Amino acid sequence: MRIINKLLVICTTLAVFGLSSCTKDFKSINTDPNGIYPNQVALDYAYLGEPLNQAQLNIYGYIDYVYQIQQNLNADIYSGYMMSSDPFYTNNQNNTNYFMIDAWNSQFWDLAYNSVMAPIATVLQSTKGNAQFAPFYAWGKILRVEAMHRLSDQIGPIVYSHYGQLNADGSSTYDSQQDVYTTFFSELDSSIATFTAAEATGLPAPFAKFDLVYGGSYAQWLKFANTLRLRLAIRISNVSPALAQTEGEKSLSDPAGLLSTASDNALINIGSNEHPIDLISESYKDINMGAPLLCYMKGYNDPRIPFYARPALDSAVKGQFIGIREGIVIAGNDPGYYYGYSLPIHFSSSSGNSHIQMMTAAEAWFLKAEAALRGWAGAGNAQTDYENGITTSFNQYGINSAASYIGDGTSTEQPYVDPKAYTPGQNDVPSGNPNLSTITIKWNDADPFATKLERIITQKWIATYPDGQEGWSEFRRTRFPKLFPVILNNSGGNISTDKFIRRMPFAPDEYSSDPNGVSGAVKLLGGPDNGGTPLWWDTNPK
Amino acid sequence: MRKKHCQHRMIICLLGLQLFCFVAARSQSAYAYNGKSIRAVDQKDRIEENEKRESLFNALKELNRTKGAYFLFSEQSLGTKMVNTPTGNETSIEKALDHMLKNSGLKFRKVNEKTYVILSKDGVSSAIEARPVSFTEPMNIGPVMDNVSSIIVADLISGKITAADGTAIAGVSVAVKGTRKGTATNAAGEFTIDAKKGDVLVVSYIGYQTQEVTVSDATTLSITLQVGTSQLNEVVVTALGIQRQAKSLTYSVQKIANDQLTTVKDASFVNSLTGKVAGVTITKSSSGIGGSTRVVLRGNKSTRNNQPLYVIDGVPVTNYSPAQPGDEYGQSGVGYAGIDGGDGISNLNPEDIESISVLKGASAAALYGSAASNGVIMVTTKKGKAGKTRVDVSSSLTLDSRSYKTPLQFKYGQTTPPSAGLPGSLDSWGSVVNGPNFVDPFFQTGVTTFNSIALSGGTERSQSYFSYSFTDNKGIEPTVSLKKHNINFRQTSKFFDDRLTADLNVLYVNQQAHNRPSSGLYNNPLTGLYMFPRGLDFNKYKKFETFSTLRNTNIQNWWDANYDSVQAGHGQYGGTFTEQNPYWLLNRVTSDNSLNRVYTNFSLSYKINSWINLQARANIDKTFNDIDSKSFATTSTVLTGNNGGYGLLTLTNTQLYSDLLLSGNRHLTDDLALQATIGTSINDNKIDQYNYGTRAQGDGLRFANVFNLENILPANFTVNHTNTSHKQVQSAFATAQLNYKDYLYLDLTARNDWSSSLAYTPVEGRGFFYYSGGLTAVLSDMFKMAEPITFSKLRISYAKVGNDVDAYKSNPPQATIDNQNGSVTNTKGPKPGTYLKPEDNRSFEVGTEWRFLKDRVGFDFTYYLNNNFRQYVEVPAPPGGAASSTGQVFSTWYLNTGNIRNQGIELSVSGTPVKEKNLTWTTTVNYAYNKNRIVSIADPAAGITQDYQTLNALGNLLYASYIKQGGQWGDIYGHFFKRDAQGHMLVSDNGAPIAGTDSTKAVGDASVKKLGNPQPRYTLGWNNTIEIAHSWTIGFLFDGRFGGKVMSVTQAALDANGDSKATADARDAGGVTLNNAVKADGSKFGGKVDALTFYNAVSGTNGIGEYYMYDATAVRLREASLTYRIPVQAKWVHSLSVAVIGKNLFYVTKKAPFDPELSMATSNFLQGVETFGLPSTRSLGASVKLSF
């Protein structure tokens, strides 16, 4: 009995020990000390503002190498702005010569969805239909259109209007590029309406603290949204002229106006982060200037050149402003071989351009010039707009007078000579070569439409640097300015050298996580999923 | 010789039929198998106060008659003492004795179910000291004891039992075969037993071979025990520290004794298990001595963690590695160098280990619960031993050198030699220069010394063990060193009539590793060394820095890197981040890893009565680990700021564990015994890791080359705390073993775990339950077996074990904070609408053990099948995913899905081929075969279409790895050759091979295909001990891994630059001969391909990986030793031995250009991949062991 008593005592002790040390602390133990949980960030609207803060920072990947594979190793190069001296341990088989590296080409997709769509989704969910939060809702949508039109311009169909919903088979539904552009327009319309009303109240924007571009100014964001709508309208002006004109004229007639002076430029303040282009060119030594941009600028005696690039250090071309031609053979696959060619200018606080350039007033003027060329109401005079575009771009770099430049009717793009070509002469673009442009600067109203368009686009292209995404998109739409085709084409026949690359293939990650969704997207694309299939708005037959 | 001292001739008095003297020094479990149970009748009678008295002798006689008990006196004179007469109504013998001995100055001790020793309270107190003593008078026993025919007067045999090294062994069981007579040795190793000539004494002790000694004319025996090679007779430590007879186990356990770890020592004792235990696959990081080790028991089972649980003296310990390379570049998130931060288990001093039991299957480990689903490695540490203080000194010195050389060429020179202002090219595809081999002189002879001293001693009641050891290593790479101090103190004491045992164990480890080598392409001296352009003068750059007037300090001096030249406009001198000056990296990009670990384990065990024991344990294990990395300015700016970089990692790992166990052990009937334990435990584990440092951008540091946190520019400062976790697991468990006639055993375990990591799921409250069951039949005891069969056993077991998930996964935050940019939305979480569940690991095993010819030969065979269901996976969600209730859309879902299956066999054959007077050869062969298959990963019903999980994506590198349905865990993927339908390699017109495209995109990336799996198909170990003339011992161990394929990124990089021997051979031969290659037009390609054309097409760190896969088969002489025990006459010396030892001496065969046992990391990543890792070492040395 004594034993049984003892056992009872022990069992009770064990039971008490077992049960009293119950799991009440489990929830706090299992809370990530580095995480933010929704109840922690209500103050100052942080749970609405922080995600949008983050979305702004990730329109262009700002951390480490993200920008490099998001945009630099595709659009920045395909736009003719830049070229890599690095064969990248891929024996120089990579995006630069149309050999699509799957591992790189998921980044634009992953970044857009993880770091823009996802954070904005939580904000839209929390603010939808709530008048108090309407500015956050409207702002979130503007940012989303800005980020996602860039992704669509890279690949075509994207997941947008059905984001956050899955089909019964677990797949997602893509929007065709046509549909997604239509959605962009309607979202911009509603956001502009919200901001117009909010501005009228005279109250400061509740998101000011999180606004990395305009510090909470409704007026500035209205200009931005109008310009963005005009950009999208111009983009579809070939494929869908009526819709383009309707949407474009809305922007042209909106009382808030467009971006008009350099001080209106939409620049994202990335704080103390190293500017991604500086990181890639300085620390990684992975990107130099592209040959076409410097050929144009030198040919035009463009005074912006020292604000864009640095003189070459390589003894073969020392002191020149000379870029590397896109898609060439790099001797010995030596990453140092071409590194001495012109580098992009430092993007840093000491150079006064530590911000990421999202959209400029110069671009707005060139958009307006094209709108005028197309006869859209409210666009004003094409020549005036064109010349304002140049002047505004000059102002952006502190150059006050553009008069002589505007008046230059003779200068043209300079021929390209690469003294270090693997096969001598292989990379050269001599005078008279059809790939060398003959367009001059000075406006001539008597020129045919195409010439005037080439002039506008060429100058817009120069002014838009370093945003290769916009440069490449407009090149595909208009085939202007003339660029140099690749020497090496490792696309396996998918991409025509003469027609240049038309799009990026769908991200490999999409194929694995959503095969049914992608097969639907390929149907919407209307062609094989490779770099040779033109996008919806890319109707140029060339 | 017959001694006639009177104390050796004694008469013992047997009360009852037999006196079974069993002494308490054996493990408590032994009682159950030897005794008979007492049937106590519960009565509440009170002992009368009115006492009658009689002589003790007479009183005991009566008890013997009425209750069948046997008694033993410690002193002859006790028999005449007057004691109370039992009333006859006592309910038990104990009560009767209590009554009798009240106020008599005597006490009793139960030594067995029916045997008691009567002791004087102030006299000899311990049962172990009790000797059978004769009574001189009165001896009036005959008429009373009708079941005893006469007084037996016997010769007493005495003796001493020692180990091979001459040390006395206490507590050795000595029994007379065929009787129940038995005793045990005292602290001096001495015993006395009643036996006569011709009797056979069975001498057995844990860890030693059981011996049978036939009593001859001599009455004094000297018996030397041999360390056991057969694991069958032993007592092994099983889960929770419960000791069990090996023969009763229902699952496979292999045990390793101390000498197998310490004869040829490794700084990390786990490495010594290779080849000695079947079914254990060991992969070492290529970071040299003290580096971490990956141990996998019976195949990789999990998408998350595959390493076993380590348990020291019954208590789980953490084995956390602060840093592992995460990709082929070698980035590990610590400062700039890709560092292997070592692992926790390497902290133990091998000399402190008594033995190791490897519980390979889930059945064995089920009682440890979720943490043990990958098996358990149980370490039993040394305790003090009663008796004279003993001092053990052990010292060894080994010299280490590369066990193979990476095949390089020095014949062909730099492709483009330097010219004015230009450094020339990186590669060496140039003309013949026949340059010197500058690589071999770079390496130095490594020196490892190990010194330890251990003191042990104590009384019967209290024993202490103290040890100190110091390991000092100088690496084979210059500047690399490791110093480790271990202090261990252990105190075991008994209180309250030995009912309470307290055991305290304190370990302290201090380890300093300088420049622990790592592999990868970043900041690795070997890349710059191996790929230095041939024809340039390497010695010129031993002076690794040069003065810069621009910076007013020393800058990196390298053939293609010179800061000043770049500033002067020679961009070609920018250098590369993959090939920097090796001496610069060793001296100016340094890392210091400092580890301090305190481990305290306290246990109290209380013996409630003869068969119930209560034990409480508490354990605190705290590790402080710092890694301090410095990069001087002009280190490649890809990796560091312009002014240099600094990284500081601080890791604190705290584990608090406690448990409470109630164990019972009793015979239910004469034939059926029950051993049962119920218990509860709590384990709280917290890892706090902070990484501070400069980001590799901008200036990094404010003042160049000043390395402290304050000097980091705010813009370039980064801190993260992401490798942090806190998890608490509470458990309740029970285990029972039913033993029928010592030949049939049924094992059952049950356990319920509540894990904090499943908080916020429905599992939080109910926890998760699992169980195991097993059955063992000792056939040789059940049936009469043919003469040659000594032992035969069949065992079968089944277990289901749950495994929780990592901390915080079930409660993902909405955002995390980036210290520079505020919040970052978290896009990973459980799939909306589902919740995380524990993994479900089910294993079945069946095995058999046979021994023949008096244990001369035997084998142990196991088949196992393990299915691990509900794997935790993180799968990319379809774009857009599904919005959760808060509007969060995860792009990665946490899910439970799939099943990974492992099945295999293990066979261990051991024998003693030679057993002569002066020559004994024992040998063991361990064989293991494992087949792994990813049965499923996708779950279409749950909308999970992706049928693979990414371990490493390809990036722009050579290697990728996926867990792909239908494949095997850890399959290596990479670029592959394009082939025609017949499998012929397709080449361009010039013969250059073409990379293929997988149109099915099996793993999403069309450019890759499965190339092989690094896991060996089977492993074989052959371990031998030869004893000559009792003083010479030769030990050697061969082991081999067969099959599997590994990848050499090194070779791909060397080929690209024309630095490998293969490229020189190809050039010498006039090109690479391709057999069966076909051109695009279908015609056969004839002849040779130009070497440069060929290697341009296949090589490089993003080349065609298929070409860089190698058969992982390797067979080597892993360990060899020759030990001589010096016969020292000096009385104070117990033993002295010296040995010549060697490790990893030579490869019988090795197909890869590196040691396939090495891997870049010991985490789940980068298995089977070698990227400029330090070659494994061959060690030769000597050791001395002295004990006195």
Side-chain angles (χ1 to χ4, degrees), chain A residues 333-403:
Chain A
N333 289 333
D334 176 359
Y337 192 76
Y338 274 112
Y339 187 66
Y341 279 41
S342 284
L343 288 167
I345 194 70
H346 272 302
F347 288 88
S348 64
S349 46
S350 56
S351 315
N353 54 354
S354 62
H355 295 189
I356 290 180
Q357 175 183 310
M358 185 158 67
M359 191 188 280
T360 63
E363 183 193 341
W365 285 113
F366 290 118
L367 290 169
K368 213 172 162 181
E370 185 175 342
L373 201 62
R374 293 178 183 278
W376 294 0
N381 177 279
Q383 179 175 356
T384 314
D385 294 338
Y386 171 78
E387 290 172 359
N388 275 341
I390 294 170
T391 310
T392 308
S393 175
F394 276 40
N395 291 343
Q396 183 178 338
Y397 295 98
I399 305 165
N400 294 325
S401 171

Side-chain angles (χ1 to χ4, degrees), chain A residues 21 36 54 114 273-274 313 512, chain B residues 569 695 697 730 815 891 948:
Chain A
S21 60
I36 299 176
Q54 187 198 341
N114 293 352
N273 287 285
E274 185 168 8
L313 294 170
S512 50
Chain B
R695 306 209 293 184
Q697 53 173 233
Q730 299 175 9
S891 56
Y948 62 87

Side-chain angles (χ1 to χ4, degrees), chain A residues 269-435:
Chain A
N269 183 351
I270 56 169
S272 56
N273 287 285
E274 185 168 8
H275 194 288
I277 296 175
D278 216 38
L279 180 74
I280 305 164
S281 63
E282 284 297 304
S283 295
Y284 296 177
K285 298 183 166 57
D286 277 347
I287 201 74
N288 291 63
M289 293 303 289
L293 180 63
L294 293 183
C295 284
Y296 275 103
M297 295 183 83
K298 276 197 311 186
Y300 290 153
N301 299 308
D302 196 313
R304 289 170 291 189
I305 205 164
F307 299 96
Y308 280 31
R310 285 176 274 169
L313 294 170
D314 192 299
S315 51
V317 288
K318 194 167 169 133
Q320 295 180 36
F321 285 99
I322 179 167
I324 308 171
R325 179 165 177 179
E326 288 78 6
I328 56 165
V329 183
I330 294 174
N333 289 333
D334 176 359
Y337 192 76
Y338 274 112
Y339 187 66
Y341 279 41
S342 284
L343 288 167
I345 194 70
H346 272 302
F347 288 88
S348 64
S349 46
S350 56
S351 315
N353 54 354
S354 62
H355 295 189
I356 290 180
Q357 175 183 310
M358 185 158 67
M359 191 188 280
T360 63
E363 183 193 341
W365 285 113
F366 290 118
L367 290 169
K368 213 172 162 181
E370 185 175 342
L373 201 62
R374 293 178 183 278
W376 294 0
N381 177 279
Q383 179 175 356
T384 314
D385 294 338
Y386 171 78
E387 290 172 359
N388 275 341
I390 294 170
T391 310
T392 308
S393 175
F394 276 40
N395 291 343
Q396 183 178 338
Y397 295 98
I399 305 165
N400 294 325
S401 171
S404 61
Y405 184 85
I406 289 169
D408 182 348
T410 53
S411 296
T412 56
E413 184 184 14
Q414 171 184 298
Y416 182 67
V417 180
D418 180 3
K420 293 187 73 170
Y422 182 68
T423 302
Q426 183 182 30
N427 300 337
D428 293 353
V429 185
S431 187
N433 185 301
N435 295 313

